[in-house]
Amino acid sequence: MDTEAVRLARRVSEGAVEWLGRMRGEFALPDVPEHEIDGNALKSLSELTLAAGMVHREAVAGRQCAATAESLLDYAWRQFKEGDMLYRLQTHTPAATHPMEMYALFAAAGYRHAALDGLTAHLTGLRASRVTEHVPNRRLALVASARRIGLPVLDDVDALIEQTWLGGTPEPWMLDVNNAYGVTHTVFHLTDYGSDPDGLPEHLQEYLRLWLPVWVEVFAETRFWDLLLEFLVVGTCLKSPLFFPHVWELVAQAQRDDGMVPNGLTVPPAEPEYAWLNHHHPTIGAAGTGTLAVSRALTLTAAGTGNAS
Amino acid sequence: MTTPHQPSPNTVETATCVLAGALSRALREDDRSFGVRHSLGDWGDGTGGLAALRVLGADVLTPFVLTGRPLPAEDAALVRTAVRAHPAPRLQARETALWGTRDAALVDALAAVGVDGAGWEGLAPAPPPNGGLAADWLSLAALLVPLASAAHPFADAALRAQLAGRGPDLTRGLVRSLLRRDLLSAARLARWIVLDGQSGPAGQPSRLAGPPLLAPALEHLEVLGSGDPRVLLEVAVARRLMAR
């Protein structure tokens, strides 16, 4: 990845983090009984946590951006009542997996809740947790969550991988948007968002090095930024990463002056609080993707192999 | 109003589909009698039918070249008439080079069935030697799609030699075209793959990335492209090339 593309990726991600920082109020959980909180509200706040956690983990952001990310992590943790709410949600519905998945994002960033640690250790040890009927890539999310919390992984991970779309190495022209998000999440969970590229089996590395460039080209042509940003993350999660510098130029052009990155499907309203609804996800994606791209490019440069495409 | 050199609206496309359908049937069924003029019927006398011959280029000769049928004299004469009626465009360098390769393939195909077409009025001049193919898969695919009528065992040895080792790139182009629902481009790239790209993931099982993709891709094109005679023609040629 060339210097200019690294600069663009940094600019995109820092602009996105600052927008998220200003828009944090939109991520606030509604004032309703906890078990009635809408799933989308929980999901948005979790994704904010994930992106801020990546900025925190990679530690390549400038001072202001790093401080904003830290404050967003604190903000999200407070929204979840410093873990108490997640604990109550998990006890209210023990078979649900989302409280543990959300807690794992905080645990990875050093936010711990002793009672949740005990509860999740108990639940993941049950036979029930081997047979949760999620889509296959979501099962891998549970494995990744257990790892982040520090719990033993009792699942047959190879068998779970084989059940995913990516694990089947299917005809690459059969990708559709739904399966594409399945592919990206399979890679995210197996590599813990790029922190462990070796977690992705060799044959899937090979498959993605062959076909990811095609998929990126197709979705760059349609300007579908939300999915495209996820594909860019996938590229940076590979052992020999793919950076797609020409796509970073397109993403940088698409980013609004205020830092928001539109989803590429719907036209964002001018007022950021209205635009938030449909465009916070790609902006979160941009924050995390840019951070990872910069971090991996710097690591490769330091290792003297910085010319990977 | 029509003039001798200007086909009426839609006639070229319709005539091309009629001819493409007849060609692919002739390629699938060895025992079927086939003639170009006969297949075009009334289209053969109009400028639309003659233009269709130019659109399909060397592919109008595939039932003769690839199955051993003799070329009827009236068909050779019809091709010559079409070339004269619709001479290769020469306005832009890229266009001239494209037609140079297409017409060289036509002359090669004629030679393969015993007709000397070199020097016919209307043919493009021989293409200049290309300075090496594009290094990236996307540009390579964009170059090869309009040259599909030159994807023949007897055509352009220099171009084909440069495709050695480009199997993965050709297959990326095929996959992209399929994802864009551009079945004709996909079928044309599949044809190049059959000819020169089977060293890649299309033709070879990869220990890592899965079984070969060419057979399911051709089947996919036949099933999804069943309503488009031009897609079916490309696939029929590809299957003939595979059987050789």
Side-chain angles (χ1 to χ4, degrees), chain A residues 135-148:
Chain A
V135 294
N137 73 73
R138 181 83 182 276
R139 293 291 307 276
L140 293 174
L142 303 185
V143 170
S145 296
R147 285 203 181 107
R148 283 181 200 124

Side-chain angles (χ1 to χ4, degrees), chain A residues 168-176 202-204 206-215 217-219 221, chain B residues 137-138 168 171-176 178-181 201 206-211 213-214 216-218 220:
Chain A
T169 61
E171 297 83 5
W173 60 80
M174 289 303 289
L175 188 86
D176 64 358
E202 201 61 45
H203 67 294
L204 302 185
E206 172 97 358
Y207 181 85
L208 287 168
R209 283 193 66 84
L210 264 174
W211 307 123
L212 185 64
V214 180
W215 298 337
E217 195 58 46
V218 168
F219 288 103
E221 192 177 6
Chain B
W137 63 271
L138 196 56
T171 312
R172 282 180 173 143
L174 165 72
V175 170
R176 171 175 180 263
L178 284 172
L179 282 166
R180 299 173 85 245
R181 311 291 186 260
S206 159
R207 184 176 62 80
L208 293 175
L213 291 171
L214 185 56
L218 288 174
H220 193 74

Side-chain angles (χ1 to χ4, degrees), chain A residues 135-137 163-167 170-187 207-208 215 219 227 230-231 234:
Chain A
V135 294
N137 73 73
Q163 291 166 22
T164 64
W165 193 94
L166 176 63
E171 297 83 5
W173 60 80
M174 289 303 289
L175 188 86
D176 64 358
V177 169
N178 185 41
N179 286 310
Y181 280 106
V183 168
T184 60
H185 283 75
T186 298
V187 175
Y207 181 85
L208 287 168
W215 298 337
F219 288 103
L227 178 56
E230 296 210 356
F231 276 145
V234 169

Side-chain angles (χ1 to χ4, degrees), chain A residues 94-164:
Chain A
T97 60
H98 62 278
M100 178 181 106
E101 292 172 75
M102 293 188 283
Y103 173 56
L105 300 174
F106 289 105
Y111 297 76
R112 306 297 305 216
H113 187 284
L116 255 175
D117 285 335
L119 178 57
T120 52
H122 159 66
L123 292 172
T124 54
L126 295 176
R127 282 182 291 129
S129 106
R130 304 283 79 73
V131 290
T132 304
E133 290 212 5
H134 282 325
V135 294
N137 73 73
R138 181 83 182 276
R139 293 291 307 276
L140 293 174
L142 303 185
V143 170
S145 296
R147 285 203 181 107
R148 283 181 200 124
I149 296 172
L151 300 170
V153 171
L154 304 175
D155 297 278
D156 180 346
V157 176
D158 288 340
L160 292 180
I161 292 171
E162 277 183 27
Q163 291 166 22
T164 64

Side-chain angles (χ1 to χ4, degrees), chain B residues 84-143:
Chain B
R84 194 185 305 119
H86 298 284
R90 299 182 182 211
L91 290 177
Q92 295 169 4
R94 278 179 62 182
E95 206 175 35
T96 307
L98 167 69
W99 277 88
T101 303
R102 285 175 54 96
D103 278 353
L106 178 63
V107 171
D108 288 339
L110 286 164
V113 286
V115 174
D116 181 7
W120 279 4
E121 181 190 344
L123 290 172
N130 69 57
L133 296 176
D136 70 286
W137 63 271
L138 196 56
S139 305
L140 181 72
L143 174 79

